[in-house]
Amino acid sequence: MEKTTVLKPRGILNPGMAKQKFHIARHLPAADLEFFVERYWIIHWDLRGQAPYKQETLPYPCVNLVLERSQSGIFGVVTGKFEHLLEGQGKVFGVKFRPGAFYPFLGRPICQLTDTSLSLEKVFGVAGGTLEETVLAMPTSEAMLACMEAFLRQYLPPPDENI
């Protein structure tokens, strides 16, 4: 059963306008993944016939695995304002990792990801290259969540007491 958080979005600049331009849902991870994953987030928008919209955020200091057509990757801590242009119709699926919890997946200091990103293939190999297409092709949020959780379980490191 899907668990959706009801937290008020934080970090989204100009939230009144944002509500008019896109929908964001946050979902809690399954119990076996909650040591590493704080939450999943899914954004949908349909701006067909409208001008593009530049969304600005002040991101949390964490690592996110982000799936968006031709823009997917592992994104490190961003030290300033983040901007993303929304146009046409689209969706983004994200995994927000707990502070320090992506280290066991990466195997090197997370500070090396500050203000930068890595391809999914660099972290997860060949399977990372098909993840975007597989998850984003799912017809529902529940199916996307199940697909992502199945993927993460394949790479799940043992819990690290230093996290």
Side-chain angles (χ1 to χ4, degrees):
M1 180 177 183
E2 174 186 343
K3 298 185 292 182
T4 303
T5 65
V6 291
L7 299 173
K8 182 178 177 183
R10 295 187 307 186
I12 295 175
L13 302 179
N14 196 0
M17 180 61 77
K19 280 186 188 178
Q20 298 173 34
K21 300 297 181 177
F22 64 87
H23 172 75
I24 184 168
R26 292 179 169 93
H27 306 272
L28 297 172
D32 63 324
L33 295 170
E34 64 187 5
F35 184 84
F36 299 100
V37 175
E38 185 169 320
R39 69 172 160 252
Y40 305 102
W41 47 273
I42 304 172
I43 298 174
H44 294 271
W45 67 91
D46 188 350
L47 299 176
R48 292 176 290 184
Q50 300 178 46
Y53 175 70
K54 180 173 66 172
Q55 178 56 53
E56 300 174 320
T57 62
L58 292 175
Y60 288 91
C62 63
V63 172
N64 282 278
L65 184 160
V66 179
L67 303 176
E68 182 180 8
R69 297 269 180 235
S70 304
Q71 299 183 57
S72 297
I74 306 294
F75 293 82
V77 173
V78 177
T79 58
K81 182 171 65 172
F82 177 78
E83 298 176 349
H84 189 71
L85 189 66
L86 304 177
E87 46 191 341
Q89 183 181 26
K91 62 183 162 185
V92 178
F93 182 98
V95 180
K96 178 184 176 196
F97 287 88
R98 293 186 181 282
F102 195 72
Y103 174 80
F105 292 91
L106 188 61
R108 62 181 200 244
I110 296 300
C111 65
Q112 293 177 0
L113 284 177
T114 301
D115 289 323
T116 191
S117 64
L118 290 173
S119 72
L120 296 169
E121 294 89 346
K122 285 215 181 229
V123 178
F124 298 107
V126 175
T130 61
L131 185 62
E132 172 189 302
E133 182 179 332
T134 303
V135 172
L136 294 180
M138 294 291 131
T140 64
S141 295
E142 293 80 10
M144 288 192 297
L145 291 163
C147 187
M148 177 56 75
E149 289 195 332
F151 177 83
L152 289 174
R153 286 183 182 108
Q154 295 174 54
Y155 298 92
L156 203 58
D160 182 338
E161 64 186 44
N162 294 312
I163 295 176

